[in-house]
C-alpha cells in the first residue's frame, strides 16, 4: 500500500473558492467553518430560531436566520437556503451530512443558481442516493450484494412475500437516506405492517421522501465502509476503511479505522469494488461505500454520497483533512492522493457522544442545557462538537453533542487511550452515551474483534440509574415488585422506579443531570408509572406522532399505544399491563415533556 506523501496531505486549496455557505448545523457545521477559516475562505451559515445562539453561528463570518423551529422550515428548505447563498455572495454551498446532503434536487438547485455544490452531481446523488437504483448500479459494476427488492415497496404484503422467499429478519430501509433513519427490522410476518408504517413515516420526516425498499437482514455480519474520493480529472481512489458495527437502533455508537481483523486481499477487493462503483456513475467528491462483511465475503449495503459522520478516524490514520480535500475537488483541482489504499498510520477510534440516557440499554433522548463541557487534553485526543459550556441541546434535531476521536500507534493503545479520555470527558447537565461507549471498549468481545451489527443490543449490558434509582438500590429496599417494563426495538427491559405519588411528582420536574466517564447520574426523574398501575407516561420530551388507541380499547401488555418522536428518533410507548384504555390524554402533534401522562390503562 502506498503512503500518503506529507506534502500532498498538507497542501492547501488554491483559493478558487472565496466564500462558502454551510447548509447544516451542529458539529459538522462547526467543523466545516473551521476548515474554511484555515483555508482562508469566508463562511456563511444558516440557522433556525432554536439555533440563533448556536456555536456554528458564533464561529461563522456571517449567518442568515431561517425562521422556524422544525427542520422543514429551515434546514430542509431548498429555496431559502439557495437564496441565502446568493444574497450573501457565497460562491459555493457545503451540505455537510444529513438534512439535504443527499438530496439531488438541492444539488441541482445550487448549480442552477450558478453556485458550486461541494459534493457529487445531482445525477450521481439521484442514482446512488436512491438505494434501489444504487443496487442496480452495484450489480452492473460487479459488486456483490445481499438479496433485496429491485423496486420500492408500498405494502406490508410485499414484506411478508419477501420474508417467505428469503427468510427473516428483513430490513425495511429508506430509499433516500442513511444513518439508520427510516429503517426497521422485521423479525416475522406479524411485524410487517407496523414496521412499514414507521419506516415510511421516519424516512419522510428525515429525508423528505417516504419511499422504502427491502433487504435480507444479515444477523451475523460486520458493517465495514470504504472511503472513496474522485475528482473532475478522472481520478478515483479509495482511502482506507472503517468498522462501524457497534450500533443500536441502527445508529452507530463506536467506529474505528482501519477495520480490524480483515485479510489484506479482502480489504483491497472491497476498496477496488468501491472505486468501480464510483466510476460507474461518474462520481466526483467524497463518498462512502458501505458493506456487510460475513466471514470472507462482503456484500454491498449502500453508498453515502456525502462526507460521513465518522470521517475523522480516517483523517487520523492518514494525516489528511477530508473537508479540505472536498474544497480542493470543488475548486476543480486534482486529488492530493492519486494512489488507492494508502497505508494507515496507527489506529483511531471514534465514540459518538449523544444526549441520550443509555441506562438499561434504553438510550432515551435527553435534551437540555449543558452546564459544563470539559474535554481532556491528551496526546492523540480530538473532540469535534457543536456545543460549548452553557449551550443547550434542543429536542428538535439530532442528539449528537460531539465525537471523541482518539489515535494510538496500535489498536490496543487506542482502546486504552480512549477509555482514559472517556473517564476525563465531562458533560454536566444531560445524560450522555459516555457510559455506553465505556461498556463497549471495556468488553472482551470488542478487544477480540468478536462482534457484529447486532452485538451491542444482544450482548452488552447497560446497568445504571434509570428513573432515579438503580436496580440494586430498589432490591435493597426489599421491593422486588418495584419494577416497570418497557419495550425498545423489540427488546423487553425491566426498570426500577420510586413508587407512589412521589414518583409522579418527581417525573414532572426537570432532572439535574450529569454525565462523565464514571457514569450517568440522573436525580429526581420518576418512572413512567407504577408497575401494574396502567399509567402510561412519556419517557422523554418529544412530539406525539402516532396515537394507536382510543378510549375503551382493550390492550395487552407490550402493545404499542403511542409513538413519541424526539431528536429524530421514534420511540414506541407500550402498555405495561393487560387492560382497557380508560382515557387518552394526547393527540398527534402534541408536544409532551418527560413523564407527561399519555393515557391510563385500567388493568384487567
Amino acid at each position: 500500500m502506498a503512503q500518503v506523501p506529507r506534502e500532498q496531505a498538507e497542501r492547501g486549496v488554491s483559493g478558487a473558492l472565496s466564500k462558502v455557505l454551510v447548509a447544516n448545523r451542529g458539529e459538522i457545521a462547526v467543523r466545516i467553518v473551521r476548515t474554511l477559516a484555515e483555508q482562508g475562505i469566508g463562511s456563511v451559515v444558516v440557522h433556525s430560531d432554536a439555533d440563533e445562539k448556536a456555536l456554528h453561528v458564533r464561529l461563522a463570518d456571517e449567518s442568515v436566520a431561517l425562521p422556524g423551529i422544525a427542520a422543514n422550515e429551515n434546514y430542509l428548505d431548498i429555496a431559502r437556503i439557495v437564496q441565502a447563498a446568493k444574497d450573501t455572495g457565497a460562491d459555493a454551498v457545503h451540505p455537510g451530512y444529513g438534512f439535504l446532503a443527499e438530496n439531488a434536487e438541492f444539488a441541482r438547485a445550487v448549480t442552477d443558481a450558478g453556485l458550486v455544490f461541494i459534493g457529487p452531481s445531482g445525477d450521481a446523488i439521484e442514482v446512488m442516493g436512491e438505494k434501489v437504483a444504487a443496487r442496480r448500479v452495484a450489480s452492473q459494476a460487479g459488486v456483490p450484494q445481499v438479496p433485496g427488492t429491485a423496486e420500492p415497496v408500498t405494502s406490508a404484503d410485499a414484506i411478508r412475500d419477501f420474508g417467505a422467499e428469503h427468510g427473516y429478519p428483513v430490513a425495511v430501509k429508506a430509499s433516500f437516506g442513511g444513518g439508520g433513519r427510516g429503517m426497521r427490522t422485521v423479525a416475522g410476518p406479524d411485524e410487517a405492517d407496523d414496521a412499514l408504517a414507521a419506516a415510511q413515516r421516519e424516512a419522510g420526516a428525515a429525508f423528505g421522501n417516504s419511499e422504502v425498499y427491502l433487504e435480507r437482514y444479515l444477523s451475523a455480519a460486520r458493517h465495514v465502509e470504504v472511503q472513496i474520493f474522485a475528482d473532475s480529472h478522472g481520478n478515483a481512489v479509495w482511502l482506507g476503511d472503517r468498522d462501524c458495527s457497534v450500533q443500536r437502533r441502527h445508529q452507530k455508537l463506536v467506529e474505528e479505522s482501519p477495520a480490524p481483523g480483515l485479510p489484506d486481499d479482502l480489504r483491497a477487493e472491497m476498496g477496488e469494488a468501491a472505486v468501480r462503483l464510483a466510476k460507474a456513475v461518474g462520481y466526483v467528491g467524497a463518498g462512502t461505500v458501505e458493506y456487510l462483511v460475513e466471514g470472507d465475503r462482503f456484500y454491498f449495503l449502500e453508498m453515502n454520497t456525502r462526507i460521513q459522520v465518522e470521517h475523522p478516524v480516517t483523517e487520523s490514520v492518514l494525516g489528511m483533512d477530508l473537508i479540505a480535500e472536498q474544497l480542493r475537488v470543488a475548486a476543480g483541482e486534482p486529488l492530493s492522493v492519486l494512489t488507492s489504499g494508502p497505508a494507515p498510520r496507527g489506529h483511531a477510534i471514534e465514540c459518538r457522544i449523544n444526549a441520550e440516557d443509555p441506562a438499561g440499554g434504553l438510550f432515551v433522548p435527553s435534551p437540555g442545557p449543558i452546564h459544563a463541557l470539559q474535554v481532556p487534553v491528551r496526546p492523540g485526543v480530538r473532540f469535534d462538537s457543536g456545543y460549548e459550556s452553557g449551550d443547550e441541546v434542543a429536542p428538535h434535531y439530532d442528539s449528537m453533542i460531539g465525537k471523541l476521536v482518539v489515535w494510538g500507534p496500535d489498536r490496543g493503545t487506542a482502546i486504552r487511550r480512549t477509555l482514559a479520555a472517556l473517564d476525563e470527558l465531562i458533560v454536566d447537565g444531560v445524560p450522555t452515551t459516555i457510559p455506553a461507549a465505556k461498556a463497549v471498549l471495556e468488553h472482551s468481545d470488542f478487544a477480540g474483534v468478536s462482534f457484529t451489527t447486532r452485538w451491542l443490543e444482544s450482548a452488552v449490558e447497560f446497568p445504571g440509574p434509570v428513573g432515579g434509582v438503580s436496580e440494586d438500590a430498589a432490591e435493597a429496599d426489599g421491593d422486588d415488585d418495584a419494577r416497570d417494563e418497557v419495550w425498545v426495538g423489540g427488546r423487553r427491559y425491566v426498570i426500577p422506579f420510586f413508587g407512589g405519588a412521589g414518583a409522579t411528582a418527581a417525573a414532572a420536574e426537570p432532572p439535574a443531570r450529569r454525565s462523565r466517564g464514571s457514569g450517568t447520574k440522573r436525580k429526581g426523574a420518576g418512572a413512567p408509572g407504577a408497575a401494574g398501575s396502567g399509567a402510561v407516561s412519556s419517557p422523554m420530551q418529544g412530539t406525539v406522532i402516532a396515537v394507536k388507541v382510543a378510549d375503551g380499547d382493550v390492550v395487552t401488555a407490550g402493545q404499542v399505544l403511542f409513538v413519541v418522536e424526539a431528536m429524530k428518533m421514534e420511540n414506541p410507548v407500550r402498555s405495561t399491563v393487560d387492560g382497557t384504555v380508560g382515557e387518552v390524554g394526547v393527540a398527534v402533534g402534541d408536544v409532551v415533556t418527560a413523564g407527561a401522562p399519555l393515557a391510563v390503562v385500567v388493568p384487567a
Side-chain angles (χ1 to χ4, degrees):
M1 292 185 179
Q3 179 66 49
V4 178
R6 182 176 297 276
E7 65 274 17
Q8 288 185 344
E10 296 179 346
R11 189 187 306 154
V13 176
S14 69
L17 301 178
S18 61
K19 184 187 290 187
V20 173
L21 181 140
V22 183
N24 218 295
R25 66 176 302 279
E27 69 84 17
I28 187 59
V30 169
R31 168 67 207 286
I32 296 168
V33 166
R34 284 175 167 157
T35 295
L36 288 170
E38 290 175 1
Q39 299 294 333
I41 301 173
S43 60
V44 183
V45 298
V46 293
H47 67 84
S48 66
D49 288 343
D51 281 339
E52 181 181 5
K53 299 179 181 179
L55 181 59
H56 73 285
V57 176
R58 302 198 298 268
L59 292 178
D61 297 323
E62 302 175 57
S63 64
V64 178
L66 300 181
I69 297 295
N72 61 3
E73 298 177 299
N74 34 70
Y75 297 112
L76 290 173
D77 192 317
I78 293 175
R80 294 172 72 183
I81 291 174
V82 172
Q83 190 61 49
K86 294 170 66 176
D87 290 346
T88 56
D91 48 22
V93 174
H94 196 307
Y97 56 71
F99 291 132
L100 295 170
E102 293 180 283
N103 187 299
E105 181 186 351
F106 181 51
R108 293 187 181 115
V110 170
T111 56
D112 288 347
L115 308 174
V116 175
F117 182 75
I118 302 177
S121 68
D123 289 347
I125 292 175
E126 189 166 63
V127 173
M128 299 312 298
E130 199 276 283
K131 310 308 180 187
V132 175
R135 287 177 57 85
R136 290 195 289 264
V137 175
S139 178
Q140 294 167 3
V143 182
Q145 50 193 306
V146 297
T149 56
E151 300 295 337
V153 298
T154 57
S155 72
D157 285 340
I159 299 176
R160 285 184 276 268
D161 291 344
F162 184 89
E165 180 180 356
H166 298 286
Y168 290 94
V170 173
V172 184
K173 305 179 67 175
S175 294
F176 291 89
R181 308 296 183 195
M183 178 176 174
R184 291 295 184 274
T185 303
V186 182
D190 57 328
E191 298 181 6
D193 293 273
D194 286 346
L196 177 63
Q200 290 175 326
R201 183 172 56 242
E202 193 172 81
F207 310 113
N209 190 305
S210 60
E211 189 175 286
V212 297
Y213 71 105
L214 307 179
E215 280 185 347
R216 175 72 168 88
Y217 188 80
L218 300 181
S219 58
R222 288 170 59 188
H223 183 146
V224 178
E225 60 188 34
V226 174
Q227 177 71 60
I228 64 104
F229 241 108
D231 61 27
S232 57
H233 300 269
N235 303 304
V237 298
W238 63 275
L239 301 176
D241 49 61
R242 302 179 284 257
D243 192 296
C244 309
S245 303
V246 180
Q247 307 175 8
R248 81 283 182 277
R249 300 189 196 176
H250 314 296
Q251 296 287 300
K252 301 164 188 174
L253 180 65
V254 175
E255 301 106 345
E256 56 183 315
S257 182
L262 293 185
D264 288 343
D265 56 346
L266 180 62
R267 197 184 304 273
E269 188 177 351
M270 292 168 62
E272 291 163 2
V275 170
R276 288 199 307 272
L277 194 61
K279 289 183 175 180
V281 291
Y283 198 85
V284 173
T288 300
V289 178
E290 300 190 348
Y291 298 109
L292 292 175
V293 178
E294 197 169 55
D296 59 355
R297 302 186 66 180
F298 67 94
Y299 305 92
F300 173 70
L301 184 58
E302 63 184 11
M303 182 177 186
N304 291 309
T305 55
R306 53 171 166 80
I307 196 70
Q308 199 84 335
V309 178
E310 55 273 22
H311 74 273
V313 290
T314 296
E315 294 181 327
S316 297
V317 298
L318 295 186
M320 295 181 67
D321 183 334
L322 295 183
I323 302 297
E325 195 75 9
Q326 284 187 295
L327 300 174
R328 174 193 303 279
V329 170
E333 296 190 17
L335 294 173
S336 66
V337 178
L338 300 176
T339 304
S340 284
R345 181 179 63 90
H347 199 89
I349 295 173
E350 174 180 292
C351 299
R352 300 193 189 189
I353 309 302
N354 295 337
E356 299 173 18
D357 190 342
L362 298 179
F363 291 94
V364 176
S366 302
I370 299 175
H371 304 311
L373 176 59
Q374 182 176 324
V375 180
V377 179
R378 281 177 167 268
V381 174
R382 157 182 171 183
F383 191 67
D384 286 12
S385 180
Y387 298 90
E388 292 179 328
S389 298
D391 290 339
E392 183 167 354
V393 183
H396 319 292
Y397 313 113
D398 192 272
S399 64
M400 183 182 292
I401 296 174
K403 303 179 301 194
L404 181 68
V405 184
V406 180
W407 177 90
D410 53 61
R411 187 171 187 261
T413 302
I415 291 174
R416 292 189 295 273
R417 188 174 286 177
T418 305
L419 283 168
L422 288 167
D423 274 334
E424 297 174 3
L425 177 63
I426 295 176
V427 183
D428 191 353
V430 294
T432 75
T433 50
I434 292 174
K438 284 195 64 181
V440 168
L441 269 68
E442 290 172 341
H443 203 288
S444 59
D445 287 351
F446 186 79
V449 196
S450 179
F451 49 76
T452 68
T453 57
R454 304 190 72 181
W455 170 76
L456 182 67
E457 294 180 331
S458 63
V460 181
E461 296 294 330
F462 296 104
V466 175
V469 63
S470 69
E471 185 169 342
D472 290 341
E475 289 175 351
D477 288 339
D479 185 3
D480 290 335
D481 294 327
R483 300 291 186 270
D484 198 3
E485 297 179 350
V486 296
W487 283 257
V488 176
R491 296 180 64 193
R492 173 181 172 273
Y493 297 87
V494 179
I495 59 175
F497 71 100
F498 287 117
T504 304
E509 299 176 0
R513 297 174 285 185
R514 177 182 180 87
S515 180
R516 64 177 298 166
S518 59
T520 301
K521 300 177 182 178
R522 187 173 184 172
K523 300 177 182 178
S533 70
V536 181
S537 304
S538 177
M540 68 208 68
Q541 178 177 334
T543 301
V544 178
I545 62 172
V547 176
K548 295 180 173 292
V549 290
D551 295 356
D553 285 356
V554 176
V555 298
T556 58
Q559 181 176 335
V560 177
L561 309 183
F562 306 92
V563 179
V564 177
E565 190 274 338
M567 306 178 87
K568 296 171 68 175
M569 296 172 63
E570 290 193 5
N571 303 273
V573 181
R574 303 176 185 257
S575 176
T576 60
V577 297
D578 296 338
T580 302
V581 178
E583 181 180 358
V584 174
V586 294
V588 172
D590 286 355
V591 176
V592 295
T593 59
L598 304 179
V600 173
V601 177
V602 179

